[in-house]
Amino acid sequence: MQHSNLKKTRVAVALLFFSLTLFSFIDIYEVMPEAFTSNIIFLQFVPSVLKFIQVVSLSAAGFLIIVVVTFLLGRIYCSAVCPLGILQDIFTFIARKRIKKKVFFKFKKAYPVVRYGLLGIAILSFIVGTSLIINLLDPYSNAGRIFTYSIKPVFVWGNNVIAGILQGQKIYSLHVIELVHASWTITIYVSLFFVLIAYLSYKRGRLFCNLICPVGTLLGLISKKALVKVRISSESCTKCGKCASACKSECIDLKTQNIDYSRCVACYDCLPVCNDDAIKYTLSSKKKKTQVKVVKGEKTVDRRGAIATLLAITASSTILAQHGHGQGHGHGRGNGGFGNRPPYKLSEREYPVTPPGSKSIERFNSLCTACGLCISACPTNVLQPAVTEYGLVGFMQPHMDYAHAGFCNFDCTRCSDICPTGAILPLSLEEKQLTQLGKAVFVKRNCVVHRDGTDCGACSEHCPTKAVSMVPYRNGLVIPEVNQDLCIGCGACEHPCPVDYPHKAIYIEGNPVHQIAQKPKEEESQHKALDEDFPF
């Protein structure tokens, strides 16, 4: 009964963490406060490490709590906190219900070369300043992308269907949400990864966690020395195989009655199935020291190696980032003009535009794990995952997509409030409104005022800082003029420009390093102050 309650408690905690984390990504009505979202993400290992390096504060030290808990109780993070691990458990649970087999799992050998090789590559890439490998392997970021690009679109679609039905009955408790799809490259990649995770967990339980995931491998090194862990009593064990069949980590070897603790995720599934009381979750015995034998095929990794690995992550305060120049979206040729009009000029960015609070492209590329939380939370959908904008090093990291998605709201700081890694640092509203992400560039040749001789002014009307103004042109028309000192690069001018991409008449050229824009001068009042309050 005690072991059964232990498993039920673990399942309840896991479902709570998973539900809250999932909701933070699909919260289309912005019900969850940013502070609450940050508290949920606090214990996610990789984001916590990256943010701790930036702020060096206990407010970002969730990974230290995970390390301590792992040393005490084993890989609790993997079984009850990690959203990707819990997602795998859900598929494993479905498999158990569908496949009626007495022996579901059995002991499988470890692959230390693959496990520790991937861990070493991830740490090395982090030290040299590129987050690409971490982006691809981090369990939290992979789960976040599944939530953002696979689950949220379905959730929004369902909301829109229900909202349409309710509005037909004159009930307006829900409203239609604009659904902006990520590029097909991102959608296909995330969908394939989702299918792969589902298949592996359906067939082999936690294989991804114990073969590919660098966080699981690192915590596995620490959990080998855990004070409290599952132990087999050789005197009581009858080798019935029930525990091994229930072990989703496939780490219980009945032949030697040993457990590979580097792969055990502390799920407690093995405890309630043992009718002989031969397997327990307990401290080591002083009378008979339980020796953790290395499973065949597993190389010995001592505690010093685990600590050295951890220090290699947390002590890397200097991050040397790589970045690729933005490649732009368009590759088409300029369209020929009508009559004697010149052909359109391509409006291609030399540098992509990074979110406010990221400080620079170089810094952003080195810290962002492309989890998609800021993309999911952006109210105008201007943040979209990059494909080639940053080059390979920034694959799936968010960039400001003004032409296809939206613009950056002048009064919004949501992305900087919830970023879990510190890649986007918090900004006050005053700071955000003066942070220059890029500068507007006006292409006169493409402007409809110049080409078609018609009124427009959409860019000037939407500019929140008055960096774009309309000046006299010809035949009574006015044409845009840009004051780049006032521009903050929000894209409110580029997004509504009626000229089709990639020939926008005005576009934002990204700043490799963010700058500070000048404050717009307040217009003087047309009314003169009176000398007396009551002049009559």
Side-chain angles (χ1 to χ4, degrees), residues 6 45 53 89 156 163-164 275 285 342 382 459 471 533:
L6 186 62
F45 193 85
I53 291 174
D89 287 347
V156 172
N275 298 325
S285 173
V382 67
C459 52
V471 297
D533 293 336

Side-chain angles (χ1 to χ4, degrees), residues 367-384:
L367 292 175
C368 176
T369 61
C371 70
L373 182 59
C374 60
I375 294 174
S376 181
C378 180
T380 62
N381 297 309
V382 67
L383 284 176
Q384 291 297 309

Side-chain angles (χ1 to χ4, degrees), residues 355-356 374-375 377-379 383 412-420 424-425:
C374 60
I375 294 174
C378 180
L383 284 176
C412 177
T413 60
R414 190 164 172 78
C415 62
S416 67
D417 292 336
I418 63 174
C419 178
I424 307 176
L425 292 174

